[in-house]
Amino acid sequence: MESPRSAAGAPVFRCPACEEPLPRQGPGYRCSEGHAYDVAKEGYVNLLLAQHRSSKDPGYSKEMIAGRRDFFDAGHYEPLADGVAEVVAGYLPEGSATVLDAGCGEGYYLRRLREHLSAQPLGRDHLLVGTDVSKHAVRVAAKRDPLGTYAVAGTFRMPILADRVDLLLTHFSPVSPADFRRVVRPGGVVLVGGPGERHLFSFKELLYDEAVTHEPGDALAGEPGFEPVGVHHVRYPLRLRGPGQVANLLQMTPYNWSVAPDLRESLTGLDSLDTEVDVLVRAYRVV
């Protein structure tokens, strides 16, 4: 089935102040009501209004993004990103499509997806859009992927036009059923990535006296408008070697927010770790 995506160049964003379409005009974005948003030199736009922020500097800090960037650059999650890219490609409609990564972080998964799609016919015609509440993350994403469209924005109150997205990916990020249902066109797909039972289990054993396996959740189970159409697994052994890599992994996880200072110092000194990547990607058709 061919994508009903509107013509190339049509607006993707809506104004966070008045919800009118927000087209690109010259050095920024401007809606019909006169609200204007400049594009930063790195190529992204900030659409997260002050009254919608949970803090002055929400999301990952500049230091955390640096650690995550180094971890990604070392290739540790390359098999995961490539596995996710294959799942995404399998659900894309014929022709061009708009893909939104809601909670894109520093854009690693979108960049790997772009590389994957570039080898396919019409692969370069897809519009890849990334949003994240961390301006530090989006700054890196936009700088490294000048072909992408990036905005500082939350997963809730997403500044995306209704029915504008063909496929929405949220990977280890918050899920907003109402927003997802609004921005993804009928017949489009939502992919939700999250930890499987044994994701980073050996790493958890370093953090807890009695580590337990994860119980995978299903954030869209029972939500109206979402039809489950598939579950995909990405698994492989993760072997970290070299100074700082274990500490960088810590910054990739929710454990980073609660680990005790003495344990953090101990992990910083580790030069090696063998653990597991075990990720579930659930697919839903919007009906």
Side-chain angles (χ1 to χ4, degrees):
M1 181 176 65
E2 187 168 345
S3 167
R5 174 187 163 193
S6 51
V12 173
F13 299 128
R14 73 176 189 180
C15 177
C18 67
E19 300 185 355
E20 289 297 309
L22 192 64
R24 176 73 183 262
Q25 294 185 7
Y29 292 82
R30 186 181 182 90
C31 74
S32 60
E33 296 297 315
H35 301 116
Y37 308 86
D38 293 334
V39 172
K41 64 179 181 179
E42 294 86 357
Y44 70 93
V45 61
N46 193 333
L47 300 179
L48 185 62
L49 301 181
Q51 60 266 35
H52 296 158
R53 298 174 190 160
S54 58
S55 65
K56 185 177 180 180
D57 191 17
Y60 292 115
S61 67
K62 187 175 182 179
E63 293 73 23
M64 293 175 70
I65 290 300
R68 292 169 61 87
R69 181 186 59 209
D70 291 346
F71 188 86
F72 283 131
D73 286 350
H76 300 306
Y77 272 6
E78 186 173 309
L80 172 57
D82 290 348
V84 171
E86 289 182 10
V87 174
V88 171
Y91 285 101
L92 288 179
E94 296 179 5
S96 60
T98 298
V99 178
L100 170 64
D101 186 348
C104 68
E106 52 288 285
Y108 181 70
Y109 292 94
L110 276 185
R111 292 196 301 276
R112 297 300 300 181
L113 175 61
R114 186 180 302 284
E115 292 184 19
H116 184 85
L117 295 176
S118 66
Q120 302 180 8
L122 300 178
R124 297 183 183 276
D125 294 336
H126 298 306
L127 177 63
L128 305 187
V129 182
T131 61
D132 199 281
V133 295
S134 169
K135 63 182 179 183
H136 310 291
V138 174
R139 182 180 294 121
V140 171
K143 188 174 182 179
R144 289 191 161 196
D145 181 20
L147 295 178
T149 299
Y150 291 94
V152 180
T155 302
F156 300 87
R157 301 189 189 91
M158 285 196 295
I160 304 292
L161 290 170
D163 300 336
R164 186 61 176 88
V165 175
D166 295 294
L167 186 146
L168 185 151
L169 168 68
T170 181
H171 190 64
F172 285 79
S173 294
V175 171
S176 176
D179 273 277
F180 291 1
R181 192 166 50 247
R182 178 181 62 80
V183 305
V184 178
R185 66 170 176 83
V189 172
V190 173
L191 298 177
V192 180
E197 282 190 0
R198 295 192 61 82
H199 186 57
L200 303 180
F201 183 74
S202 297
F203 184 51
K204 289 176 68 174
E205 290 183 309
L206 298 178
L207 304 176
Y208 303 104
D209 293 334
E210 295 184 11
V212 296
T213 56
H214 180 74
E215 294 184 11
D218 188 348
L220 291 178
E223 290 287 346
F226 297 96
E227 175 190 359
V229 291
V231 180
H232 307 268
H233 241 127
V234 182
R235 298 187 184 106
Y236 63 93
L238 178 63
R239 297 182 175 89
L240 304 183
R241 300 293 185 271
Q245 293 305 308
V246 178
N248 286 339
L249 175 62
L250 178 63
Q251 295 193 73
M252 306 282 291
T253 73
Y255 316 128
N256 182 68
W257 307 103
S258 58
V259 65
D262 57 340
L263 181 54
R264 180 186 299 276
E265 184 176 352
S266 174
L267 293 174
T268 300
L270 285 181
D271 288 340
S272 66
L273 173 68
D274 291 333
T275 187
E276 314 83 4
V277 169
D278 180 10
V279 169
L280 282 173
V281 182
R282 300 183 185 274
Y284 309 84
R285 186 81 60 186
V286 174
V287 296

mmCIF file with all atom_site columns, all heavy atoms in Angstrom, residues 90-114:
data_model
loop_
_atom_site.group_PDB
_atom_site.id
_atom_site.type_symbol
_atom_site.label_atom_id
_atom_site.label_alt_id
_atom_site.label_comp_id
_atom_site.label_asym_id
_atom_site.label_entity_id
_atom_site.label_seq_id
_atom_site.pdbx_PDB_ins_code
_atom_site.Cartn_x
_atom_site.Cartn_y
_atom_site.Cartn_z
_atom_site.occupancy
_atom_site.B_iso_or_equiv
_atom_site.pdbx_formal_charge
_atom_site.auth_seq_id
_atom_site.auth_comp_id
_atom_site.auth_asym_id
_atom_site.auth_atom_id
_atom_site.pdbx_PDB_model_num
ATOM 1   N N   . GLY A 1 90  ? 10.766 -3.243 7.698  1.00 0.00 ? 90  GLY A N   1
ATOM 2   C CA  . GLY A 1 90  ? 9.763  -4.245 7.378  1.00 0.00 ? 90  GLY A CA  1
ATOM 3   C C   . GLY A 1 90  ? 8.338  -3.740 7.485  1.00 0.00 ? 90  GLY A C   1
ATOM 4   O O   . GLY A 1 90  ? 7.426  -4.354 6.918  1.00 0.00 ? 90  GLY A O   1
ATOM 5   N N   . TYR A 1 91  ? 8.133  -2.633 8.173  1.00 0.00 ? 91  TYR A N   1
ATOM 6   C CA  . TYR A 1 91  ? 6.780  -2.088 8.334  1.00 0.00 ? 91  TYR A CA  1
ATOM 7   C C   . TYR A 1 91  ? 6.543  -0.816 7.518  1.00 0.00 ? 91  TYR A C   1
ATOM 8   O O   . TYR A 1 91  ? 5.428  -0.272 7.545  1.00 0.00 ? 91  TYR A O   1
ATOM 9   C CB  . TYR A 1 91  ? 6.507  -1.790 9.807  1.00 0.00 ? 91  TYR A CB  1
ATOM 10  C CG  . TYR A 1 91  ? 6.261  -3.030 10.633 1.00 0.00 ? 91  TYR A CG  1
ATOM 11  C CD1 . TYR A 1 91  ? 7.273  -3.568 11.431 1.00 0.00 ? 91  TYR A CD1 1
ATOM 12  C CD2 . TYR A 1 91  ? 5.032  -3.672 10.614 1.00 0.00 ? 91  TYR A CD2 1
ATOM 13  C CE1 . TYR A 1 91  ? 7.058  -4.702 12.200 1.00 0.00 ? 91  TYR A CE1 1
ATOM 14  C CE2 . TYR A 1 91  ? 4.802  -4.815 11.375 1.00 0.00 ? 91  TYR A CE2 1
ATOM 15  C CZ  . TYR A 1 91  ? 5.819  -5.325 12.160 1.00 0.00 ? 91  TYR A CZ  1
ATOM 16  O OH  . TYR A 1 91  ? 5.609  -6.453 12.914 1.00 0.00 ? 91  TYR A OH  1
ATOM 17  N N   . LEU A 1 92  ? 7.554  -0.332 6.812  1.00 0.00 ? 92  LEU A N   1
ATOM 18  C CA  . LEU A 1 92  ? 7.366  0.885  6.036  1.00 0.00 ? 92  LEU A CA  1
ATOM 19  C C   . LEU A 1 92  ? 6.488  0.616  4.812  1.00 0.00 ? 92  LEU A C   1
ATOM 20  O O   . LEU A 1 92  ? 6.594  -0.443 4.181  1.00 0.00 ? 92  LEU A O   1
ATOM 21  C CB  . LEU A 1 92  ? 8.713  1.440  5.584  1.00 0.00 ? 92  LEU A CB  1
ATOM 22  C CG  . LEU A 1 92  ? 9.580  2.082  6.667  1.00 0.00 ? 92  LEU A CG  1
ATOM 23  C CD1 . LEU A 1 92  ? 10.899 2.555  6.069  1.00 0.00 ? 92  LEU A CD1 1
ATOM 24  C CD2 . LEU A 1 92  ? 8.862  3.242  7.332  1.00 0.00 ? 92  LEU A CD2 1
ATOM 25  N N   . PRO A 1 93  ? 5.617  1.561  4.463  1.00 0.00 ? 93  PRO A N   1
ATOM 26  C CA  . PRO A 1 93  ? 4.788  1.400  3.268  1.00 0.00 ? 93  PRO A CA  1
ATOM 27  C C   . PRO A 1 93  ? 5.615  1.593  2.007  1.00 0.00 ? 93  PRO A C   1
ATOM 28  O O   . PRO A 1 93  ? 6.772  2.051  2.059  1.00 0.00 ? 93  PRO A O   1
ATOM 29  C CB  . PRO A 1 93  ? 3.756  2.529  3.416  1.00 0.00 ? 93  PRO A CB  1
ATOM 30  C CG  . PRO A 1 93  ? 4.480  3.590  4.186  1.00 0.00 ? 93  PRO A CG  1
ATOM 31  C CD  . PRO A 1 93  ? 5.373  2.849  5.142  1.00 0.00 ? 93  PRO A CD  1
ATOM 32  N N   . GLU A 1 94  ? 5.052  1.245  0.863  1.00 0.00 ? 94  GLU A N   1
ATOM 33  C CA  . GLU A 1 94  ? 5.728  1.488  -0.399 1.00 0.00 ? 94  GLU A CA  1
ATOM 34  C C   . GLU A 1 94  ? 5.815  2.994  -0.640 1.00 0.00 ? 94  GLU A C   1
ATOM 35  O O   . GLU A 1 94  ? 4.969  3.761  -0.219 1.00 0.00 ? 94  GLU A O   1
ATOM 36  C CB  . GLU A 1 94  ? 4.976  0.806  -1.544 1.00 0.00 ? 94  GLU A CB  1
ATOM 37  C CG  . GLU A 1 94  ? 4.951  -0.713 -1.451 1.00 0.00 ? 94  GLU A CG  1
ATOM 38  C CD  . GLU A 1 94  ? 4.183  -1.339 -2.598 1.00 0.00 ? 94  GLU A CD  1
ATOM 39  O OE1 . GLU A 1 94  ? 3.760  -0.578 -3.504 1.00 0.00 ? 94  GLU A OE1 1
ATOM 40  O OE2 . GLU A 1 94  ? 4.000  -2.557 -2.589 1.00 0.00 ? 94  GLU A OE2 1
ATOM 41  N N   . GLY A 1 95  ? 6.848  3.392  -1.357 1.00 0.00 ? 95  GLY A N   1
ATOM 42  C CA  . GLY A 1 95  ? 7.031  4.804  -1.625 1.00 0.00 ? 95  GLY A CA  1
ATOM 43  C C   . GLY A 1 95  ? 7.682  5.496  -0.452 1.00 0.00 ? 95  GLY A C   1
ATOM 44  O O   . GLY A 1 95  ? 8.252  4.876  0.438  1.00 0.00 ? 95  GLY A O   1
ATOM 45  N N   . SER A 1 96  ? 7.616  6.816  -0.436 1.00 0.00 ? 96  SER A N   1
ATOM 46  C CA  . SER A 1 96  ? 8.227  7.594  0.637  1.00 0.00 ? 96  SER A CA  1
ATOM 47  C C   . SER A 1 96  ? 7.372  7.532  1.886  1.00 0.00 ? 96  SER A C   1
ATOM 48  O O   . SER A 1 96  ? 6.160  7.324  1.830  1.00 0.00 ? 96  SER A O   1
ATOM 49  C CB  . SER A 1 96  ? 8.420  9.041  0.201  1.00 0.00 ? 96  SER A CB  1
ATOM 50  O OG  . SER A 1 96  ? 7.184  9.636  -0.125 1.00 0.00 ? 96  SER A OG  1
ATOM 51  N N   . ALA A 1 97  ? 8.013  7.727  3.032  1.00 0.00 ? 97  ALA A N   1
ATOM 52  C CA  . ALA A 1 97  ? 7.305  7.654  4.306  1.00 0.00 ? 97  ALA A CA  1
ATOM 53  C C   . ALA A 1 97  ? 7.933  8.627  5.294  1.00 0.00 ? 97  ALA A C   1
ATOM 54  O O   . ALA A 1 97  ? 9.089  9.010  5.166  1.00 0.00 ? 97  ALA A O   1
ATOM 55  C CB  . ALA A 1 97  ? 7.355  6.232  4.865  1.00 0.00 ? 97  ALA A CB  1
ATOM 56  N N   . THR A 1 98  ? 7.132  9.006  6.281  1.00 0.00 ? 98  THR A N   1
ATOM 57  C CA  . THR A 1 98  ? 7.620  9.833  7.378  1.00 0.00 ? 98  THR A CA  1
ATOM 58  C C   . THR A 1 98  ? 7.787  8.945  8.601  1.00 0.00 ? 98  THR A C   1
ATOM 59  O O   . THR A 1 98  ? 6.830  8.311  9.049  1.00 0.00 ? 98  THR A O   1
ATOM 60  C CB  . THR A 1 98  ? 6.647  10.980 7.696  1.00 0.00 ? 98  THR A CB  1
ATOM 61  O OG1 . THR A 1 98  ? 6.539  11.836 6.557  1.00 0.00 ? 98  THR A OG1 1
ATOM 62  C CG2 . THR A 1 98  ? 7.143  11.795 8.882  1.00 0.00 ? 98  THR A CG2 1
ATOM 63  N N   . VAL A 1 99  ? 9.010  8.896  9.128  1.00 0.00 ? 99  VAL A N   1
ATOM 64  C CA  . VAL A 1 99  ? 9.329  8.104  10.317 1.00 0.00 ? 99  VAL A CA  1
ATOM 65  C C   . VAL A 1 99  ? 9.666  9.067  11.449 1.00 0.00 ? 99  VAL A C   1
ATOM 66  O O   . VAL A 1 99  ? 10.499 9.955  11.291 1.00 0.00 ? 99  VAL A O   1
ATOM 67  C CB  . VAL A 1 99  ? 10.522 7.164  10.058 1.00 0.00 ? 99  VAL A CB  1
ATOM 68  C CG1 . VAL A 1 99  ? 10.887 6.383  11.318 1.00 0.00 ? 99  VAL A CG1 1
ATOM 69  C CG2 . VAL A 1 99  ? 10.210 6.205  8.905  1.00 0.00 ? 99  VAL A CG2 1
ATOM 70  N N   . LEU A 1 100 ? 9.019  8.879  12.579 1.00 0.00 ? 100 LEU A N   1
ATOM 71  C CA  . LEU A 1 100 ? 9.284  9.703  13.763 1.00 0.00 ? 100 LEU A CA  1
ATOM 72  C C   . LEU A 1 100 ? 9.874  8.849  14.868 1.00 0.00 ? 100 LEU A C   1
ATOM 73  O O   . LEU A 1 100 ? 9.289  7.839  15.263 1.00 0.00 ? 100 LEU A O   1
ATOM 74  C CB  . LEU A 1 100 ? 7.985  10.349 14.266 1.00 0.00 ? 100 LEU A CB  1
ATOM 75  C CG  . LEU A 1 100 ? 8.054  11.055 15.627 1.00 0.00 ? 100 LEU A CG  1
ATOM 76  C CD1 . LEU A 1 100 ? 8.992  12.255 15.582 1.00 0.00 ? 100 LEU A CD1 1
ATOM 77  C CD2 . LEU A 1 100 ? 6.655  11.477 16.090 1.00 0.00 ? 100 LEU A CD2 1
ATOM 78  N N   . ASP A 1 101 ? 11.048 9.242  15.363 1.00 0.00 ? 101 ASP A N   1
ATOM 79  C CA  . ASP A 1 101 ? 11.647 8.622  16.545 1.00 0.00 ? 101 ASP A CA  1
ATOM 80  C C   . ASP A 1 101 ? 11.335 9.541  17.721 1.00 0.00 ? 101 ASP A C   1
ATOM 81  O O   . ASP A 1 101 ? 11.948 10.593 17.881 1.00 0.00 ? 101 ASP A O   1
ATOM 82  C CB  . ASP A 1 101 ? 13.149 8.469  16.357 1.00 0.00 ? 101 ASP A CB  1
ATOM 83  C CG  . ASP A 1 101 ? 13.811 7.692  17.498 1.00 0.00 ? 101 ASP A CG  1
ATOM 84  O OD1 . ASP A 1 101 ? 13.151 7.483  18.528 1.00 0.00 ? 101 ASP A OD1 1
ATOM 85  O OD2 . ASP A 1 101 ? 14.991 7.321  17.356 1.00 0.00 ? 101 ASP A OD2 1
ATOM 86  N N   . ALA A 1 102 ? 10.373 9.146  18.536 1.00 0.00 ? 102 ALA A N   1
ATOM 87  C CA  . ALA A 1 102 ? 9.940  9.949  19.676 1.00 0.00 ? 102 ALA A CA  1
ATOM 88  C C   . ALA A 1 102 ? 10.779 9.577  20.889 1.00 0.00 ? 102 ALA A C   1
ATOM 89  O O   . ALA A 1 102 ? 10.616 8.498  21.459 1.00 0.00 ? 102 ALA A O   1
ATOM 90  C CB  . ALA A 1 102 ? 8.451  9.726  19.966 1.00 0.00 ? 102 ALA A CB  1
ATOM 91  N N   . GLY A 1 103 ? 11.680 10.475 21.272 1.00 0.00 ? 103 GLY A N   1
ATOM 92  C CA  . GLY A 1 103 ? 12.670 10.171 22.297 1.00 0.00 ? 103 GLY A CA  1
ATOM 93  C C   . GLY A 1 103 ? 13.935 9.685  21.628 1.00 0.00 ? 103 GLY A C   1
ATOM 94  O O   . GLY A 1 103 ? 14.506 8.651  22.007 1.00 0.00 ? 103 GLY A O   1
ATOM 95  N N   . CYS A 1 104 ? 14.395 10.430 20.629 1.00 0.00 ? 104 CYS A N   1
ATOM 96  C CA  . CYS A 1 104 ? 15.479 9.963  19.752 1.00 0.00 ? 104 CYS A CA  1
ATOM 97  C C   . CYS A 1 104 ? 16.855 10.028 20.387 1.00 0.00 ? 104 CYS A C   1
ATOM 98  O O   . CYS A 1 104 ? 17.815 9.492  19.837 1.00 0.00 ? 104 CYS A O   1
ATOM 99  C CB  . CYS A 1 104 ? 15.479 10.785 18.471 1.00 0.00 ? 104 CYS A CB  1
ATOM 100 S SG  . CYS A 1 104 ? 15.945 12.532 18.682 1.00 0.00 ? 104 CYS A SG  1
ATOM 101 N N   . GLY A 1 105 ? 16.991 10.706 21.552 1.00 0.00 ? 105 GLY A N   1
ATOM 102 C CA  . GLY A 1 105 ? 18.313 10.849 22.141 1.00 0.00 ? 105 GLY A CA  1
ATOM 103 C C   . GLY A 1 105 ? 19.252 11.546 21.177 1.00 0.00 ? 105 GLY A C   1
ATOM 104 O O   . GLY A 1 105 ? 18.878 12.516 20.512 1.00 0.00 ? 105 GLY A O   1
ATOM 105 N N   . GLU A 1 106 ? 20.467 11.039 21.072 1.00 0.00 ? 106 GLU A N   1
ATOM 106 C CA  . GLU A 1 106 ? 21.466 11.645 20.197 1.00 0.00 ? 106 GLU A CA  1
ATOM 107 C C   . GLU A 1 106 ? 21.353 11.169 18.753 1.00 0.00 ? 106 GLU A C   1
ATOM 108 O O   . GLU A 1 106 ? 22.253 11.417 17.945 1.00 0.00 ? 106 GLU A O   1
ATOM 109 C CB  . GLU A 1 106 ? 22.870 11.411 20.732 1.00 0.00 ? 106 GLU A CB  1
ATOM 110 C CG  . GLU A 1 106 ? 23.201 9.984  21.038 1.00 0.00 ? 106 GLU A CG  1
ATOM 111 C CD  . GLU A 1 106 ? 22.488 9.467  22.263 1.00 0.00 ? 106 GLU A CD  1
ATOM 112 O OE1 . GLU A 1 106 ? 22.852 9.813  23.382 1.00 0.00 ? 106 GLU A OE1 1
ATOM 113 O OE2 . GLU A 1 106 ? 21.529 8.689  22.087 1.00 0.00 ? 106 GLU A OE2 1
ATOM 114 N N   . GLY A 1 107 ? 20.244 10.504 18.411 1.00 0.00 ? 107 GLY A N   1
ATOM 115 C CA  . GLY A 1 107 ? 19.948 10.171 17.029 1.00 0.00 ? 107 GLY A CA  1
ATOM 116 C C   . GLY A 1 107 ? 20.611 8.929  16.469 1.00 0.00 ? 107 GLY A C   1
ATOM 117 O O   . GLY A 1 107 ? 20.560 8.694  15.263 1.00 0.00 ? 107 GLY A O   1
ATOM 118 N N   . TYR A 1 108 ? 21.209 8.108  17.337 1.00 0.00 ? 108 TYR A N   1
ATOM 119 C CA  . TYR A 1 108 ? 21.963 6.950  16.854 1.00 0.00 ? 108 TYR A CA  1
ATOM 120 C C   . TYR A 1 108 ? 21.083 5.993  16.050 1.00 0.00 ? 108 TYR A C   1
ATOM 121 O O   . TYR A 1 108 ? 21.475 5.537  14.968 1.00 0.00 ? 108 TYR A O   1
ATOM 122 C CB  . TYR A 1 108 ? 22.587 6.217  18.033 1.00 0.00 ? 108 TYR A CB  1
ATOM 123 C CG  . TYR A 1 108 ? 23.417 5.006  17.642 1.00 0.00 ? 108 TYR A CG  1
ATOM 124 C CD1 . TYR A 1 108 ? 24.629 5.151  16.983 1.00 0.00 ? 108 TYR A CD1 1
ATOM 125 C CD2 . TYR A 1 108 ? 22.985 3.718  17.931 1.00 0.00 ? 108 TYR A CD2 1
ATOM 126 C CE1 . TYR A 1 108 ? 25.393 4.050  16.624 1.00 0.00 ? 108 TYR A CE1 1
ATOM 127 C CE2 . TYR A 1 108 ? 23.742 2.606  17.590 1.00 0.00 ? 108 TYR A CE2 1
ATOM 128 C CZ  . TYR A 1 108 ? 24.938 2.785  16.935 1.00 0.00 ? 108 TYR A CZ  1
ATOM 129 O OH  . TYR A 1 108 ? 25.694 1.686  16.579 1.00 0.00 ? 108 TYR A OH  1
ATOM 130 N N   . TYR A 1 109 ? 19.890 5.691  16.542 1.00 0.00 ? 109 TYR A N   1
ATOM 131 C CA  . TYR A 1 109 ? 19.027 4.722  15.863 1.00 0.00 ? 109 TYR A CA  1
ATOM 132 C C   . TYR A 1 109 ? 18.522 5.268  14.532 1.00 0.00 ? 109 TYR A C   1
ATOM 133 O O   . TYR A 1 109 ? 18.400 4.525  13.551 1.00 0.00 ? 109 TYR A O   1
ATOM 134 C CB  . TYR A 1 109 ? 17.873 4.322  16.783 1.00 0.00 ? 109 TYR A CB  1
ATOM 135 C CG  . TYR A 1 109 ? 18.338 3.530  17.974 1.00 0.00 ? 109 TYR A CG  1
ATOM 136 C CD1 . TYR A 1 109 ? 18.621 4.152  19.185 1.00 0.00 ? 109 TYR A CD1 1
ATOM 137 C CD2 . TYR A 1 109 ? 18.543 2.157  17.881 1.00 0.00 ? 109 TYR A CD2 1
ATOM 138 C CE1 . TYR A 1 109 ? 19.095 3.431  20.269 1.00 0.00 ? 109 TYR A CE1 1
ATOM 139 C CE2 . TYR A 1 109 ? 19.009 1.415  18.959 1.00 0.00 ? 109 TYR A CE2 1
ATOM 140 C CZ  . TYR A 1 109 ? 19.284 2.066  20.153 1.00 0.00 ? 109 TYR A CZ  1
ATOM 141 O OH  . TYR A 1 109 ? 19.754 1.348  21.225 1.00 0.00 ? 109 TYR A OH  1
ATOM 142 N N   . LEU A 1 110 ? 18.248 6.568  14.457 1.00 0.00 ? 110 LEU A N   1
ATOM 143 C CA  . LEU A 1 110 ? 17.837 7.151  13.181 1.00 0.00 ? 110 LEU A CA  1
ATOM 144 C C   . LEU A 1 110 ? 18.978 7.137  12.167 1.00 0.00 ? 110 LEU A C   1
ATOM 145 O O   . LEU A 1 110 ? 18.768 6.911  10.979 1.00 0.00 ? 110 LEU A O   1
ATOM 146 C CB  . LEU A 1 110 ? 17.339 8.582  13.389 1.00 0.00 ? 110 LEU A CB  1
ATOM 147 C CG  . LEU A 1 110 ? 15.878 8.749  13.818 1.00 0.00 ? 110 LEU A CG  1
ATOM 148 C CD1 . LEU A 1 110 ? 15.507 10.222 13.875 1.00 0.00 ? 110 LEU A CD1 1
ATOM 149 C CD2 . LEU A 1 110 ? 14.925 7.997  12.893 1.00 0.00 ? 110 LEU A CD2 1
ATOM 150 N N   . ARG A 1 111 ? 20.200 7.388  12.633 1.00 0.00 ? 111 ARG A N   1
ATOM 151 C CA  . ARG A 1 111 ? 21.330 7.359  11.711 1.00 0.00 ? 111 ARG A CA  1
ATOM 152 C C   . ARG A 1 111 ? 21.562 5.953  11.164 1.00 0.00 ? 111 ARG A C   1
ATOM 153 O O   . ARG A 1 111 ? 21.833 5.776  9.962  1.00 0.00 ? 111 ARG A O   1
ATOM 154 C CB  . ARG A 1 111 ? 22.605 7.872  12.390 1.00 0.00 ? 111 ARG A CB  1
ATOM 155 C CG  . ARG A 1 111 ? 22.562 9.348  12.709 1.00 0.00 ? 111 ARG A CG  1
ATOM 156 C CD  . ARG A 1 111 ? 23.949 9.899  13.020 1.00 0.00 ? 111 ARG A CD  1
ATOM 157 N NE  . ARG A 1 111 ? 24.614 9.247  14.140 1.00 0.00 ? 111 ARG A NE  1
ATOM 158 C CZ  . ARG A 1 111 ? 24.428 9.558  15.412 1.00 0.00 ? 111 ARG A CZ  1
ATOM 159 N NH1 . ARG A 1 111 ? 23.557 10.505 15.743 1.00 0.00 ? 111 ARG A NH1 1
ATOM 160 N NH2 . ARG A 1 111 ? 25.094 8.933  16.374 1.00 0.00 ? 111 ARG A NH2 1
ATOM 161 N N   . ARG A 1 112 ? 21.463 4.947  12.024 1.00 0.00 ? 112 ARG A N   1
ATOM 162 C CA  . ARG A 1 112 ? 21.620 3.574  11.548 1.00 0.00 ? 112 ARG A CA  1
ATOM 163 C C   . ARG A 1 112 ? 20.471 3.204  10.611 1.00 0.00 ? 112 ARG A C   1
ATOM 164 O O   . ARG A 1 112 ? 20.672 2.478  9.631  1.00 0.00 ? 112 ARG A O   1
ATOM 165 C CB  . ARG A 1 112 ? 21.671 2.594  12.730 1.00 0.00 ? 112 ARG A CB  1
ATOM 166 C CG  . ARG A 1 112 ? 22.846 2.778  13.673 1.00 0.00 ? 112 ARG A CG  1
ATOM 167 C CD  . ARG A 1 112 ? 24.184 2.615  12.993 1.00 0.00 ? 112 ARG A CD  1
ATOM 168 N NE  . ARG A 1 112 ? 24.389 1.292  12.390 1.00 0.00 ? 112 ARG A NE  1
ATOM 169 C CZ  . ARG A 1 112 ? 25.488 0.931  11.764 1.00 0.00 ? 112 ARG A CZ  1
ATOM 170 N NH1 . ARG A 1 112 ? 26.491 1.788  11.645 1.00 0.00 ? 112 ARG A NH1 1
ATOM 171 N NH2 . ARG A 1 112 ? 25.608 -0.269 11.246 1.00 0.00 ? 112 ARG A NH2 1
ATOM 172 N N   . LEU A 1 113 ? 19.274 3.696  10.911 1.00 0.00 ? 113 LEU A N   1
ATOM 173 C CA  . LEU A 1 113 ? 18.138 3.445  10.021 1.00 0.00 ? 113 LEU A CA  1
ATOM 174 C C   . LEU A 1 113 ? 18.382 4.096  8.661  1.00 0.00 ? 113 LEU A C   1
ATOM 175 O O   . LEU A 1 113 ? 18.108 3.482  7.619  1.00 0.00 ? 113 LEU A O   1
ATOM 176 C CB  . LEU A 1 113 ? 16.857 4.002  10.641 1.00 0.00 ? 113 LEU A CB  1
ATOM 177 C CG  . LEU A 1 113 ? 15.602 3.921  9.758  1.00 0.00 ? 113 LEU A CG  1
ATOM 178 C CD1 . LEU A 1 113 ? 15.267 2.478  9.409  1.00 0.00 ? 113 LEU A CD1 1
ATOM 179 C CD2 . LEU A 1 113 ? 14.419 4.599  10.445 1.00 0.00 ? 113 LEU A CD2 1
ATOM 180 N N   . ARG A 1 114 ? 18.907 5.320  8.650  1.00 0.00 ? 114 ARG A N   1
ATOM 181 C CA  . ARG A 1 114 ? 19.181 5.982  7.376  1.00 0.00 ? 114 ARG A CA  1
ATOM 182 C C   . ARG A 1 114 ? 20.183 5.172  6.545  1.00 0.00 ? 114 ARG A C   1
ATOM 183 O O   . ARG A 1 114 ? 20.021 5.016  5.330  1.00 0.00 ? 114 ARG A O   1
ATOM 184 C CB  . ARG A 1 114 ? 19.713 7.391  7.623  1.00 0.00 ? 114 ARG A CB  1
ATOM 185 C CG  . ARG A 1 114 ? 19.874 8.193  6.333  1.00 0.00 ? 114 ARG A CG  1
ATOM 186 C CD  . ARG A 1 114 ? 20.416 9.591  6.590  1.00 0.00 ? 114 ARG A CD  1
ATOM 187 N NE  . ARG A 1 114 ? 19.583 10.363 7.483  1.00 0.00 ? 114 ARG A NE  1
ATOM 188 C CZ  . ARG A 1 114 ? 18.430 10.925 7.138  1.00 0.00 ? 114 ARG A CZ  1
ATOM 189 N NH1 . ARG A 1 114 ? 17.952 10.744 5.911  1.00 0.00 ? 114 ARG A NH1 1
ATOM 190 N NH2 . ARG A 1 114 ? 17.753 11.637 8.008  1.00 0.00 ? 114 ARG A NH2 1
#
